[in-house]
Amino acid sequence: MDAAEFRRRGKEMVDHVADYLEKIEERPVYPDVEPGYLRSLIPTEAPVEPDSYEDIMKDVERVIMPGITHWHSPNFFAYFPAASSYPAMLADMLCSAIGCIGFSWAASPACTELETVMLDWLGKMLQLPECFLAGTHGHGGGVIQGTASEATLVSLLAARCKAIRRVQLLDPKKSEAEILSKLVAYTSEQAHSSVERAALIGAVMMKKVPTDSLYAVRGEMLKKILEEDKAAGLIPFYFCATLGTTPSCAFDHIADLGPLCNQENMWMHIDAAYAGSAFICPEFRPLLNGVEYADSFNFNPHKWMLINFDCSAMWVKKRTDIIGAFKMEPLYLKHENQESGLVTDYRHWQIPLGRRFRSLKMWFVFRMYGLQGLQAHIRKQVGLAKEFESLVRADKRFEICAPVVMGLVCFRLKGTNELNQSLLKKITKSREIHLVPCQLSGSFVLRLAICSRSTEFRHIQQAWQHITQLAFELLQEHHH
Amino acid sequence: MDAAEFRRRGKEMVDHVADYLEKIEERPVYPDVEPGYLRSLIPTEAPVEPDSYEDIMKDVERVIMPGITHWHSPNFFAYFPAASSYPAMLADMLCSAIGCIGFSWAASPACTELETVMLDWLGKMLQLPECFLAGTHGHGGGVIQGTASEATLVSLLAARCKAIRRVQLLDPKKSEAEILSKLVAYTSEQAHSSVERAALIGAVMMKKVPTDSLYAVRGEMLKKILEEDKAAGLIPFYFCATLGTTPSCAFDHIADLGPLCNQENMWMHIDAAYAGSAFICPEFRPLLNGVEYADSFNFNPHKWMLINFDCSAMWVKKRTDIIGAFKMEPLYLKHENQESGLVTDYRHWQIPLGRRFRSLKMWFVFRMYGLQGLQAHIRKQVGLAKEFESLVRADKRFEICAPVVMGLVCFRLKGTNELNQSLLKKITKSREIHLVPCQLSGSFVLRLAICSRSTEFRHIQQAWQHITQLAFELLQEHHH
Ligand SMILES: Cc1ncc(COP(=O)(O)O)c(C=O)c1O
Ligand SMILES: Cc1ncc(COP(=O)(O)O)c(C=O)c1O
């Protein structure tokens, strides 16, 4: 395929993409395929000679589409949103064409520098304390990680390195292995599974802190465990707070937890994967109060800020903490400017070495929506969640299971877990809308998250009608 | 931006991309900017109201392009290639539109299933032993990691988990911390920095094995160290072999190393990040002999197989080894089919949770090039490297520093390291071609890698003329 052919096929693909998204509502949101469905639809080996482009595009409809869960359907309410917008897609096309691998400043200065400045822009939108920004002289700064999971892991590894050095400074006879075996990380019992996984990877113990009745960790709960653990000779070194937990969008009390962590010499990382985007709205910003105590903060613009995956924004107060944990300098990655102290080599900030030019998507989206456009998007989706909450509250057979603060509604039929499991099964099977469950205080709960950019009030209404209809059928069956 | 506007801007972007790539040769390959150049070119904050699309595209040329290292210029010979092709770009546009996050089978069955089958296709192209393929009943299988660094880390973590379990089975009194402190991983002193980094992350000791005169590890070299370490009470558990080292494209002797690792109960991972793509050509396949002893194997189609970053292909013999090291099961990620044992939830195979629909790029590229087209690409680039080698060999002032097996030529001016450093400085400064150095046996060496799909013989000739011209000037200066 040469450039001329690409011009033709590329334009067709642009139309194909627009068609797909414009008509996505006509497709069942959840696919009707059995595990293994795809293998028999295509050859067992790659072709030796090229296939025609027409055949490939036919196969997209024949082979791929039947097995797609349509995340951008207005009827998709599962997990959390996966951001998507046209400006981000345009930027991604440009990113593919430039195709630089931005592991160091020299590997493409624009890639590194735009990222640093975009993270400053975004930090200002969130009103992050100055110390998290790179500015021109700062000690902090931001980086785009691929995912929140990686951001958490990076923060835990930086904290581990710092803790080991600190303990060894006080007691040089202690071996690294000995210290490692005494380190303890903490997080909420409601935290995302990636937090526990980070501790597993980092080979440190992790303890789950119980939450209050609103599923949030409070200072006193952490304090109690810390006292016990210190008395037992353990070394608390890391706490991962969540703002907007995955099950119910609960908010840990960082304004109490932060000072405690600071006092105990513990690294506090904040995982606001989903909720973080909302902090650009003044009405939600108070939930971020206390961030000034954190060592690192992360959220996913690829969830709720219209920037296609992958784009997870992370800031640290002291970038040397992160770089110190990872730095490796082979000659083929050295370049002239790195000794000046002026440049950022992002490979020291992350798990992978290579990285795409991801800040282009940020730049396009920030500029084409403007802060107001982004705020409007957040507010619209929160509004839809509130509408759904009202519908649920108006039906006495149902209950709301957690405060509806942002775009997530946790609800269930009053009754047994089995009943709610049956309801979800019916929903999944009918493929008109898509939801996933969660567990709250032992209850099986349905989660409805406002996900797609194209979800409107009528979809919320239809979804609720559909759910109540299925619930009605279910309750009828139970009565007979 | 609505769909109609996207249709218009998307088509303009397709032309923009094609224009950029068609005229890339006119741009200096390496940018002429100082650290910090970009910040002053754009506002200090995101706009509140949207900017116009025209302004953004103007800024791409004004702000971004001056700071780009053009990886796809035919005059780019640095690092290793970053793959790029039009079919991969088309597939990526589709991937952005579908925008599913493929962490589990249910999150988009097609995303998981196409990946499994594409890795089987690719495994067959490489003639990997059957045990690495998923097939319909296999214990092995492939996964697309983001980068080779992540593949190495995943393999090391799986090996660590397996080793700890094995030792604890023999001696249940041993604590995990105690075992961890005795585990040793090994790799070549020529291995990529990401290997050492994986050990740092995984909190295990790593030792570098010396290489022979061709920069390859041989069985006896590893064996000697293992004997010493075992005698000292350490527990060897992991060896990362390299096929195609970053400095000189050397090949560890896996046919000897493999049986040794098997015998010692050590996990052998093979990192063939760059060279792996060439194994689809029968003439290069013998270099992969011995892969049958490996537990895991990885290479980067995003380097040399025309599939845009990120796409790193990894296979394991026993997928339970990897899954066992990571598995976490919160309710919101559970789905009906997972207990059947028939489905793959790729989140258990990797460091991040989320992932793009990356196998689409593979599918498009394999089908639009066909095996023959891919082989032709490899052979053409190896041919160009051989041409360059001949040019260097014909000039008595220069020497070739390592065998030219694939698309990389290591060479230097006969003389001091300082002389060669000066030569590279001149090359970098003139911005006509771009190279990076490496260190081999204490010598400062220039690396010329055939990178761009658009590099032709005339570019090789021009590059050599340019290098010899600069060398001539340099030698003149030294004489005065
Ligand atoms: C609170 C929280 N943290 C982390 C994650 C994981 O995000 P990622 O896929 O970017 O790793 C999620 C995903 O839903 C989340 O809700
Ligand atoms: C041998 C080898 N391994 C690993 C890597 C790292 O690859 P990635 O950027 O995919 O992590 C490279 C990159 O050049 C390499 O040459």
Side-chain angles (χ1 to χ4, degrees):
Chain A
M1 184 178 265
D2 59 11
E5 173 83 354
F6 173 73
R7 287 178 202 267
R8 177 173 161 218
R9 300 307 187 182
K11 289 166 194 175
E12 287 174 14
M13 185 61 90
V14 166
D15 279 326
H16 188 93
V17 163
D19 289 344
Y20 169 70
L21 291 171
E22 281 195 310
K23 295 190 205 134
I24 197 165
E25 199 171 338
E26 296 166 15
R27 300 178 186 262
V29 58
Y30 189 69
D32 187 10
V33 295
E34 291 298 310
Y37 88 96
L38 185 141
R39 192 176 283 273
S40 62
L41 298 179
I42 65 174
T44 55
E45 288 187 33
V48 174
E49 314 247 0
D51 286 346
S52 82
Y53 188 73
E54 284 79 8
D55 284 346
I56 297 173
M57 288 309 291
K58 263 186 229 149
D59 281 349
V60 167
E61 208 49 55
R62 184 181 65 91
V63 177
I64 304 300
M65 284 300 156
I68 293 289
T69 304
H70 299 283
W71 282 61
H72 303 289
S73 162
N75 301 316
F76 181 93
F77 302 104
Y79 315 109
F80 271 137
S84 175
S85 69
Y86 291 121
M89 283 185 232
L90 291 172
D92 237 5
M93 288 164 68
L94 186 58
C95 164
S96 289
I98 294 175
C100 62
I101 311 292
F103 43 75
S104 69
W105 183 85
S108 232
C111 176
T112 295
E113 298 208 1
L114 187 65
E115 183 162 336
T116 307
V117 180
M118 284 306 104
L119 273 282
D120 274 4
W121 278 21
L122 184 52
K124 287 178 193 168
M125 288 192 227
L126 297 169
Q127 298 182 44
L128 282 188
E130 189 76 26
C131 54
F132 286 105
L133 306 185
T136 42
H137 308 287
H139 297 291
V143 57
I144 304 178
Q145 302 283 353
T147 59
S149 310
E150 288 161 85
T152 304
L153 177 57
V154 164
S155 69
L156 181 130
L157 294 173
R160 185 185 76 179
C161 176
K162 213 174 162 178
I164 290 174
R165 285 187 199 157
R166 192 184 60 238
V167 177
Q168 278 191 326
L169 213 63
L170 295 175
D171 186 353
K173 275 173 312 194
K174 274 218 174 105
S175 75
E176 230 178 272
E178 205 179 334
I179 302 168
L180 201 62
S181 72
K182 298 258 182 293
L183 293 180
V184 198
Y186 303 84
T187 195
S188 165
E189 60 184 17
Q190 295 286 321
H192 191 263
S193 56
S194 54
V195 182
E196 199 177 341
R197 212 155 173 264
L200 197 71
I201 293 170
V204 293
M205 206 182 313
M206 174 158 269
K207 298 197 174 184
K208 301 288 188 71
V209 186
T211 53
D212 66 14
S213 62
L214 297 178
Y215 309 108
V217 174
R218 296 176 165 275
E220 62 260 37
M221 294 157 167
L222 178 60
K223 195 176 167 93
K224 186 163 163 284
I225 306 186
L226 292 184
E227 297 307 332
E228 290 166 14
D229 284 351
K230 285 192 293 178
L234 297 175
I235 310 169
F237 80 105
Y238 177 86
F239 175 66
C240 176
T242 313
L243 295 181
T245 58
T246 320
S248 70
C249 200
F251 293 81
D252 289 345
H253 292 239
I254 54 170
D256 298 339
L257 290 157
L260 178 62
C261 290
N262 288 176
Q263 199 178 303
E264 300 286 344
N265 255 319
M266 288 165 68
W267 184 292
M268 181 161 89
H269 175 67
I270 298 176
D271 171 9
Y274 165 68
S277 298
F279 301 145
I280 60 168
C281 300
E283 66 273 32
F284 291 117
R285 179 58 180 77
L287 288 164
L288 188 57
N289 288 346
V291 66
E292 58 274 21
Y293 303 110
D295 296 282
S296 51
F297 169 71
N298 177 252
F299 83 98
N300 286 352
H302 73 225
K303 280 199 158 62
W304 206 16
M305 207 178 247
L306 299 164
I307 301 172
N308 286 48
F309 190 88
D310 46 353
C311 182
S312 185
M314 179 186 195
W315 290 265
V316 286
K317 251 187 204 157
K318 279 200 194 161
R319 53 181 177 233
T320 48
D321 283 344
I322 287 209
I323 296 168
F326 286 123
K327 205 157 182 171
M328 303 261 153
E329 290 283 19
L331 187 57
Y332 49 83
L333 294 179
K334 279 218 168 105
H335 55 89
E336 279 200 348
N337 281 302
Q338 68 185 33
E339 304 307 335
S340 69
L342 289 172
V343 307
T344 299
D345 286 336
Y346 273 126
R347 73 175 182 282
H348 303 308
W349 295 55
Q350 56 170 22
I351 305 293
L353 175 78
R355 52 218 316 283
R356 283 161 63 92
F357 195 164
R358 292 185 287 216
S359 56
L360 274 181
K361 308 187 267 203
M362 279 195 159
W363 198 41
F364 272 56
V365 169
F366 293 166
R367 295 185 67 184
M368 295 197 64
Y369 279 88
L371 176 59
Q372 280 181 355
L374 297 173
Q375 288 171 334
H377 171 68
I378 299 287
R379 286 171 181 148
K380 176 180 167 190
Q381 297 214 320
V382 175
L384 291 173
K386 300 273 187 197
E387 301 271 12
F388 187 79
E389 180 190 13
S390 310
L391 294 171
V392 178
R393 285 202 191 276
D395 188 325
K396 290 283 164 288
R397 293 166 303 175
F398 285 87
E399 59 188 343
I400 291 287
C401 310
V404 178
V405 183
M406 294 184 174
L408 177 69
V409 183
C410 289
F411 68 105
R412 68 196 301 275
L413 270 172
K414 291 172 186 163
T416 63
N417 284 349
E418 290 67 34
L419 187 69
N420 282 283
Q421 275 160 356
S422 303
L423 176 58
L424 183 66
K425 271 210 176 119
K426 271 180 179 287
I427 294 172
T428 305
K429 225 171 146 184
S430 81
R431 299 174 206 287
E432 288 193 24
I433 62 172
H434 191 47
L435 299 183
V436 295
C438 71
Q439 190 134 27
L440 291 174
S441 312
S443 287
F444 186 91
V445 169
L446 305 190
R447 276 172 95 261
L448 183 135
I450 308 296
C451 289
S452 169
R453 200 164 42 82
S454 60
T455 301
E456 302 290 345
F457 181 53
R458 68 184 167 89
H459 300 106
I460 299 299
Q461 280 181 306
Q462 283 163 16
W464 179 241
Q465 265 164 24
H466 179 64
I467 292 168
T468 48
Q469 174 62 31
L470 294 179
F472 177 77
E473 288 171 20
L474 185 69
L475 293 170
Q476 291 286 74
E477 287 163 27
H478 271 244
H479 278 277
H480 297 293
Chain B
M1 183 176 269
D2 60 11
E5 172 84 353
F6 173 72
R7 286 177 202 268
R8 176 170 161 220
R9 299 308 185 180
K11 288 167 196 176
E12 286 174 14
M13 185 61 91
V14 166
D15 279 327
H16 188 92
V17 163
D19 289 345
Y20 168 70
L21 290 172
E22 280 194 312
K23 297 192 203 133
I24 197 166
E25 198 171 338
E26 295 166 14
R27 299 178 186 263
V29 58
Y30 189 68
D32 188 10
V33 295
E34 291 299 310
Y37 88 95
L38 185 141
R39 191 177 283 271
S40 61
L41 298 179
I42 64 175
T44 55
E45 288 187 34
V48 175
E49 314 247 0
D51 286 347
S52 81
Y53 187 73
E54 284 79 7
D55 283 346
I56 297 172
M57 288 309 291
K58 262 186 229 150
D59 281 350
V60 168
E61 209 48 56
R62 184 181 66 91
V63 177
I64 304 299
M65 284 300 157
I68 293 289
T69 305
H70 298 283
W71 282 61
H72 303 289
S73 161
N75 300 317
F76 181 92
F77 302 105
Y79 315 107
F80 272 138
S84 174
S85 69
Y86 291 121
M89 284 185 230
L90 292 172
D92 237 6
M93 288 164 69
L94 186 58
C95 165
S96 291
I98 294 174
C100 61
I101 312 292
F103 43 74
S104 70
W105 182 86
S108 233
C111 176
T112 295
E113 298 209 2
L114 187 65
E115 182 162 336
T116 307
V117 180
M118 283 306 104
L119 272 283
D120 274 4
W121 277 22
L122 184 52
K124 286 178 194 170
M125 288 192 227
L126 297 169
Q127 298 183 44
L128 282 189
E130 190 75 25
C131 54
F132 285 104
L133 306 185
T136 43
H137 309 287
H139 298 290
V143 57
I144 304 178
Q145 302 282 354
T147 60
S149 309
E150 288 161 85
T152 303
L153 177 57
V154 164
S155 69
L156 181 129
L157 295 173
R160 185 185 76 178
C161 176
K162 213 174 163 179
I164 290 173
R165 285 186 198 157
R166 192 183 60 238
V167 176
Q168 279 192 325
L169 213 64
L170 295 175
D171 187 351
K173 276 172 311 198
K174 275 216 173 107
S175 75
E176 229 178 273
E178 205 180 333
I179 302 169
L180 200 62
S181 72
K182 297 259 182 290
L183 293 180
V184 198
Y186 302 85
T187 195
S188 165
E189 60 184 18
Q190 296 284 320
H192 190 263
S193 56
S194 54
V195 182
E196 199 176 340
R197 211 155 174 264
L200 197 71
I201 294 170
V204 292
M205 206 182 311
M206 174 159 269
K207 298 198 173 184
K208 301 288 189 70
V209 185
T211 54
D212 66 14
S213 62
L214 297 177
Y215 309 108
V217 174
R218 295 176 167 273
E220 62 260 34
M221 294 157 168
L222 177 60
K223 195 177 167 93
K224 186 161 164 285
I225 306 186
L226 292 185
E227 296 308 331
E228 290 166 13
D229 285 351
K230 285 192 296 177
L234 297 175
I235 310 170
F237 81 105
Y238 176 86
F239 175 66
C240 176
T242 314
L243 294 181
T245 58
T246 319
S248 70
C249 201
F251 294 82
D252 289 346
H253 293 240
I254 54 171
D256 298 339
L257 291 157
L260 179 61
C261 290
N262 289 176
Q263 201 177 300
E264 299 286 343
N265 257 318
M266 290 165 68
W267 184 293
M268 181 161 88
H269 175 68
I270 298 176
D271 171 10
Y274 165 67
S277 299
F279 301 146
I280 61 168
C281 301
E283 66 273 30
F284 291 116
R285 178 59 179 74
L287 288 164
L288 188 57
N289 289 345
V291 67
E292 58 275 20
Y293 302 110
D295 296 282
S296 51
F297 169 71
N298 176 252
F299 84 98
N300 286 352
H302 73 225
K303 281 200 157 64
W304 206 15
M305 208 179 246
L306 299 164
I307 301 171
N308 286 48
F309 189 87
D310 46 354
C311 183
S312 184
M314 179 187 196
W315 291 265
V316 285
K317 253 189 204 154
K318 280 199 195 161
R319 52 183 178 229
T320 48
D321 283 343
I322 287 208
I323 296 168
F326 287 122
K327 205 157 182 171
M328 303 260 154
E329 291 284 17
L331 187 57
Y332 49 83
L333 294 179
K334 278 218 169 104
H335 55 91
E336 280 201 346
N337 282 301
Q338 69 185 30
E339 304 306 337
S340 69
L342 289 172
V343 308
T344 298
D345 286 336
Y346 273 126
R347 73 176 183 280
H348 303 308
W349 295 56
Q350 57 171 21
I351 305 294
L353 175 78
R355 53 216 316 282
R356 283 161 61 94
F357 195 164
R358 293 185 286 216
S359 56
L360 273 181
K361 309 189 266 203
M362 277 195 161
W363 198 41
F364 272 57
V365 169
F366 294 166
R367 295 185 67 182
M368 295 198 64
Y369 279 88
L371 177 58
Q372 280 181 354
L374 298 173
Q375 288 171 335
H377 172 67
I378 299 288
R379 285 172 182 148
K380 176 180 167 188
Q381 296 213 321
V382 175
L384 291 173
K386 299 275 188 195
E387 301 271 14
F388 187 79
E389 179 190 13
S390 309
L391 294 171
V392 178
R393 284 202 191 275
D395 188 326
K396 290 282 164 289
R397 294 167 302 176
F398 285 86
E399 59 188 342
I400 292 287
C401 309
V404 177
V405 182
M406 294 184 173
L408 177 69
V409 183
C410 289
F411 68 104
R412 68 196 300 276
L413 269 173
K414 290 171 187 165
T416 63
N417 284 349
E418 290 66 34
L419 187 69
N420 282 283
Q421 275 160 355
S422 305
L423 177 58
L424 184 65
K425 272 211 175 117
K426 271 181 179 289
I427 294 172
T428 305
K429 223 171 148 186
S430 82
R431 301 176 204 285
E432 288 193 25
I433 62 172
H434 191 48
L435 300 183
V436 294
C438 70
Q439 190 133 28
L440 291 174
S441 311
S443 287
F444 185 92
V445 169
L446 306 190
R447 276 171 94 263
L448 183 135
I450 309 296
C451 289
S452 167
R453 200 164 41 82
S454 60
T455 302
E456 302 290 345
F457 181 54
R458 68 183 167 90
H459 300 107
I460 299 299
Q461 279 181 306
Q462 282 164 16
W464 180 242
Q465 265 164 24
H466 179 63
I467 292 168
T468 48
Q469 175 61 32
L470 295 179
F472 177 77
E473 288 170 20
L474 184 69
L475 293 170
Q476 291 286 73
E477 288 162 26
H478 270 246
H479 277 278
H480 295 295

